């Protein structure tokens, strides 16, 4: 039986309407002219910052603000939220809108100019960033899909977004909810080098979000890239090179530290194969310690269960709340007495990074300087302890992450495969090849980003000697 021509034509028309899920329908709209009183996004944010209340409501007002969309749920890394900033280039303020709607990218793609009417909305801080929604007690809830059109007017303009280039050291409340760009960036070597390259959020230990350490080479800095485990690119391997990354500056769920959120992997352009990883110092091992003691500590004078302090130590918490503390073991390790311990297991922190740094070591007037220490653990699990050396740190804790730190590669640190009840010697590590007149030695602990998989390290019997 032959189909009438009208059905054949209809079939072709239907087939011609099929598009991929990432395509945005071509809908030409004339420019719109909003009615009411325009205010800036900055003015909206300041209305809460100047208030003594944790939330403010906008009632009986004709005010609106203009914004450009910078987020996209096309790849699932954003959900029921629309982030807008006040300009497509050189923005000065941004804000998050909570919307109870899916596939927002089909109407509000990045660069789309919109007008947001405030009447009936409320503003508060959630997860560390300022957000708009419908008031629900002392918080907000998502704007219902049925009334989104009452609050958002979509303009025909789709601007070319230009990420704002800044340095990690400049991160502040001013740049939250803004599309930024980091240059000369790379993922930390522990994320991408070695036998297993991590994915954005597809590891067995990733729950809700994958947190990955990101570094910039010049100026030096460290931050975190956060990716939802519901994103479509969660299982994509991290790039091993370096380059530029563009993302929205935000805060982690607990408002402990800054994170970068990307729309898709196209935001990460790491095409340069070169990296700026720390140098490896391999000065060799000695058979015996020196006769002159430059620095030593067995932590016996420290106050138990309190942070390590005094004796020239710098105890710096970069991420989280866990500091190095004096500890007396009661189990297998009890015979060692007091030691320094770092432990972020079940801390509640999404990431823990803490440094314990010696006072400056004189390398100019001494010869054959050597380092020795001992380490033990209570299951290291996914955490890591590194021994580093810096000759350009100035002693200011605020500048630790800006300094150059080389790895003392021959210093042995207990591994997760080693018996946790034993104490292991580092070996007697020469420092003679370090190109400096003085320097600092750091013991840097980095957690796994999963609190239930973070381990514990103990450190003891540190001696720095010379001939």
């Amino acid at each position: 039986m032959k189909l009438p021509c009208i059905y054949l034509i209809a079939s072709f028309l239907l087939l011609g309407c099929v598009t991929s899920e990432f395509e945005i329908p071509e809908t030409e709209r004339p420019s719109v002219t909003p009615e009411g009183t325009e205010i800036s996004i900055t003015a909206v944010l300041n209305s809460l910052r100047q208030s003594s209340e944790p939330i403010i409501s906008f009632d009986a007002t004709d005010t609106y603000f203009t914004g450009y969309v910078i987020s996209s749920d096309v790849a699932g890394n954003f959900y029921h939220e629309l982030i807008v900033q006040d300009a497509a280039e050189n923005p000065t303020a941004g804000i998050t809108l909570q919307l109870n709607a899916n596939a927002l990218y089909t109407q509000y793609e990045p660069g789309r100019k919109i007008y947001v009417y405030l009447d009936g909305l409320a503003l508060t801080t959630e997860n560390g960033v300022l957000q708009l929604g419908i008031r629900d007690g002392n918080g907000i809830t998502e704007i219902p899909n049925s009334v989104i059109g009452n609050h958002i007017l979509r303009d025909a303009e789709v601007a070319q977004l230009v990420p704002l280039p800044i340095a990690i050291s400049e991160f502040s409340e001013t740049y939250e909810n803004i599309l930024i760009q980091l240059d000369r960036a790379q993922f930390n070597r522990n994320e991408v080098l070695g036998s297993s390259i991590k994915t954005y959020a597809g590891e067995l230990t990733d729950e809700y979000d994958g947190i990955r350490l990101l570094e910039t080479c010049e100026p030096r800095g460290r931050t975190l890239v956060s990716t939802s485990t519901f994103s479509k690119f969660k299982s994509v391997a991290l790039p091993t090179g370096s380059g530029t990354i563009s993302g929205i500056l935000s805060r982690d769920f607990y408002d402990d530290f800054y994170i970068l959120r990307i729309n898709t992997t196209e935001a990460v352009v790491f095409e340069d194969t070169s990296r700026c990883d720390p140098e490896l110092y391999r000065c060799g091992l000695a058979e015996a310690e020196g006769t002159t003691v430059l620095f030593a500590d067995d932590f016996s004078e420290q106050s138990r269960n309190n942070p390590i302090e005094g004796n020239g130590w710098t105890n710096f918490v970069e991420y989280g709340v866990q500091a190095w503390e004096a500890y007396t073991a009661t189990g297998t390790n009890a015979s060692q007495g007091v030691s320094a311990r770092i432990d972020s297991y079940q801390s509640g922190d999404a990431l823990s990074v803490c440094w314990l740094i010696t006072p400056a070591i004189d390398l100019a007037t001494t010869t054959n300087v050597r380092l020795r220490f001992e380490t033990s653990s209570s299951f290291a699990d996914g955490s890591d302890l590194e021994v580093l050396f810096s000759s350009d740190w100035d002693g200011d804790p605020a500048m630790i992450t800006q300094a150059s730190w080389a790895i003392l590669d021959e210093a042995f640190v207990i591994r997760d495969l080693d018996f946790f009840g034993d104490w292991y010697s580092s070996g007697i590590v020469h420092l003679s090849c370090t190109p400096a007149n003085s320097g600092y030695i750091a013991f840097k602990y980095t957690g796994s980003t999963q609190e239930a998989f973070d381990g514990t390290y103990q450190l003891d019997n540190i001696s720095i000697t010379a001939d």
Side-chain angles (χ1 to χ4, degrees), residues 63-351:
T63 55
Y64 69 89
F65 65 80
T66 302
Y68 291 84
V69 177
I70 58 174
S71 63
S72 173
D73 58 1
V74 68
N77 203 30
F78 292 86
Y79 179 73
H80 285 197
E81 60 185 329
L82 199 66
I83 304 178
V84 299
Q85 62 187 32
D86 57 5
E89 186 174 0
N90 295 320
T92 60
I95 196 168
T96 295
L97 284 70
Q98 293 190 10
L99 306 178
N100 188 7
N102 297 316
L104 291 169
Y105 73 93
T106 61
Q107 292 292 316
Y108 309 111
E109 71 272 38
R112 176 68 66 176
K113 184 179 182 180
I114 62 173
Y115 307 98
V116 180
Y117 285 87
L118 295 170
D119 189 30
L121 300 183
L123 177 66
T124 190
T125 300
E126 287 196 352
N127 308 126
V129 295
L130 291 168
Q131 306 193 33
L132 277 170
I134 300 296
R135 183 160 190 160
D136 182 15
N138 286 325
I140 60 173
T141 189
E142 297 169 351
I143 302 171
N145 191 21
S146 59
V147 299
I148 289 177
N150 297 339
H151 294 285
I152 300 179
L153 182 60
R154 179 173 177 265
D155 193 79
E157 180 184 351
V158 180
Q160 180 68 42
L161 296 174
V162 179
L164 184 68
I166 64 173
I168 292 174
S169 60
E170 297 177 279
F171 284 4
S172 70
E173 184 181 76
T174 301
Y175 299 108
E176 291 175 11
N177 285 325
I178 281 180
L179 184 65
I180 66 166
Q181 176 175 300
L182 299 176
D183 297 324
R184 298 200 63 195
Q186 64 183 31
F187 285 102
N188 181 269
R189 65 190 184 281
N190 295 323
E191 312 279 27
V192 297
L193 301 182
S195 59
S196 179
I197 299 175
K198 289 184 180 179
T199 58
Y200 281 91
E203 307 306 307
L204 291 176
T205 54
D206 291 328
E207 185 177 1
Y208 302 117
D209 296 291
I211 302 293
R212 304 292 179 256
L213 279 167
L214 183 82
E215 306 165 334
T216 52
C217 300
E218 187 62 41
R220 293 183 179 273
R222 285 156 56 96
T223 188
L224 304 170
V225 174
S226 178
T227 305
S228 170
T229 54
F230 295 98
S231 70
K232 296 178 180 178
F233 58 88
K234 70 173 185 178
S235 297
V236 174
L238 298 173
T240 59
S242 62
T244 63
I245 180 171
S246 300
I248 298 170
L249 186 63
S250 189
R251 300 283 291 178
D252 76 293
F253 182 81
Y254 298 103
D255 190 21
D256 290 328
F257 42 74
Y258 283 107
I259 59 173
L260 201 61
R261 303 172 67 193
I262 63 175
N263 289 318
T264 69
T265 55
E266 292 180 357
V268 185
V269 185
F270 287 0
E271 297 176 343
D272 191 340
T273 57
S274 64
R275 294 174 54 88
C276 60
D277 294 318
E279 290 185 73
L280 299 180
Y281 284 165
R282 297 188 175 108
C283 303
L285 297 176
E287 295 183 356
E289 296 183 78
T291 55
T292 301
V293 177
L294 304 181
F295 176 79
D297 203 340
D298 62 3
F299 303 105
S300 59
E301 300 300 318
Q302 295 287 332
S303 177
R304 292 168 176 80
N305 300 319
N306 286 302
I308 299 295
E309 59 183 7
N311 201 22
W313 287 111
T314 297
N315 194 349
F316 173 70
V317 178
E318 182 181 352
Y319 286 110
V321 298
Q322 301 300 310
W324 283 89
E325 64 178 7
Y327 172 72
T328 302
T330 56
T332 309
N333 309 72
S335 60
Q336 192 78 7
V338 181
S339 61
R341 179 181 72 163
I342 183 69
D343 174 21
S344 62
Y345 177 70
Q346 293 186 338
S347 65
D349 295 327
L351 175 65

